[in-house]
Amino acid sequence: MKKSELKIMQIHASEMDNFSYLIYCQETLRGAAIDPSMRPELLLKEIDNRGIKLDLLLNTHGHADHIAGNAVILEHTGAKLAAHPVDITNPDIVLAEGTRLELGKGIIDVMHTPGHTPGSVIFKFDHQIVTGDTLFVSRCGRADLPGSDVVALYDSLQRLKKLPEDTVVYPGHDYGPTATSTIGWELKNNDYFKCPDLQSFTKLRLEG
Ligand SMILES: [Fe+2]
């Protein structure tokens, strides 16, 4: 099997256990930062250390704990901001279901996964997904916030359950027993994934 050109780095980036990510093409060193959170300097340090040219700043959704560092990253790198316009007004690149982003010799695919927020997206490349606050290790995002929609979140999670079991999950917060997992692990261990129907999911998510 061909080795992936895209590499991902996980960065613990706030007192709220946020994760930022840096994805880059190992051959061309073109990069994309995801959710700078409150510690954008940590991303900038990795970008500098590795000699990466940052093409894109991606946001999984519009909550402040994920996007607080956007301005610092944009100012220091000249990257283009890519996000779903329902969550982030006037991004440089509008993301939607099926958007494909070129990064060096790799491709990042966008899934629109509303529920936690209406503009939540997941970034997918090879067998890896960056899930923001839609899916955490052993949990899922809240559905009781302004703009949340528990039915949409259930539907989004059903789509993720159909991904190959070896798909690696990179969540938006460090809330689980491990920093990453796989779809196969979540199918066995995540109570929200295991809900057999919308009714049981709604009860667990909103009342559990
Ligand atoms: Fe959030």
Side-chain angles (χ1 to χ4, degrees):
M1 193 171 132
K2 187 169 142 281
K3 190 170 176 297
S4 164
E5 270 111 12
L6 296 184
K7 190 172 168 62
I8 183 164
M9 277 195 58
Q10 185 181 55
I11 297 169
H12 199 276
S14 87
E15 306 311 313
M16 294 169 74
D17 285 331
N18 286 76
F19 282 130
S20 295
Y21 293 94
L22 177 62
I23 301 176
Y24 62 96
C25 170
Q26 299 183 87
E27 208 172 315
T28 64
L29 295 181
R30 313 300 289 207
I34 303 178
D35 290 359
S37 187
M38 269 75 94
R39 303 288 307 279
E41 71 278 10
L42 299 178
L43 272 169
L44 290 175
K45 194 170 140 210
E46 292 298 338
I47 290 163
D48 261 10
N49 285 348
R50 287 158 201 272
I52 288 165
K53 166 77 175 71
L54 200 75
D55 288 340
L56 297 168
L57 171 56
L58 311 176
N59 286 149
T60 58
H61 65 298
H63 283 159
D65 57 317
H66 293 256
I67 67 170
N70 272 10
V72 173
I73 298 289
L74 294 173
E75 186 186 322
H76 283 79
T77 64
K80 287 193 160 47
L81 176 63
H84 196 290
V86 176
D87 270 29
I88 306 277
T89 314
N90 292 325
D92 299 313
I93 299 169
V94 169
L95 300 182
E97 173 68 27
T99 301
R100 306 201 91 190
L101 299 164
E102 279 185 34
L103 188 66
K105 300 203 165 178
I107 296 277
I108 298 172
D109 286 305
V110 176
M111 296 173 73
H112 181 210
T113 52
H116 176 66
T117 66
S120 285
V121 291
I122 283 177
F123 301 106
K124 180 170 172 289
F125 59 99
D126 308 316
H127 278 201
Q128 311 190 75
I129 50 174
V130 178
T131 55
D133 288 1
T134 298
L135 176 66
F136 303 124
V137 175
S138 77
R139 294 167 61 177
C140 73
R142 287 174 61 175
D144 59 339
L145 302 169
S148 293
D149 178 338
V150 72
V151 177
L153 183 59
Y154 177 77
D155 289 342
S156 292
L157 293 177
Q158 303 320 296
R159 291 184 65 204
L160 299 184
K161 285 164 73 170
K162 292 185 189 129
L163 293 173
E165 291 201 12
D166 64 349
T167 303
V168 181
V169 175
Y170 291 94
H173 289 265
D174 187 12
Y175 286 163
T178 53
T180 68
S181 68
T182 61
I183 289 295
W185 189 91
E186 297 300 331
L187 286 168
K188 289 194 192 77
N189 297 288
N190 185 322
D191 288 343
Y192 298 94
F193 249 33
K194 289 196 281 187
C195 286
D197 51 38
L198 174 61
Q199 194 182 17
S200 58
F201 177 77
T202 302
K203 191 167 166 42
L204 179 66
R205 181 61 285 183
L206 297 181
E207 298 166 27

